[in-house]
Amino acid sequence: MAMELCPSCRGQVVVDGSARASEIVECPECGSVLELVSTNPFALALAPDVAEDWGE
């Protein structure tokens, strides 16, 4: 387990030690959807919005 800071609200987010890059987690304080961008060291960023591709 690792504690990281939410890039949005600076609240503490618990990240499982076995998490892999690109996993999605949610901040328990502000509800922001976050992406684990690095595992060594752990780093979080706001997850990109998923856009509809309309079958393209």
Side-chain angles (χ1 to χ4, degrees), residues 3 8 17 23 31-32 35 42 46 52 56:
M3 286 286 220
S8 182
E23 285 193 31
S32 292
E35 178 181 6
F42 284 104
L46 292 173
E52 178 61 52
E56 295 176 354

Side-chain angles (χ1 to χ4, degrees), residues 39-53:
T39 58
N40 191 12
F42 284 104
L44 295 171
L46 292 173
D49 290 330
V50 177
E52 178 61 52
D53 67 1

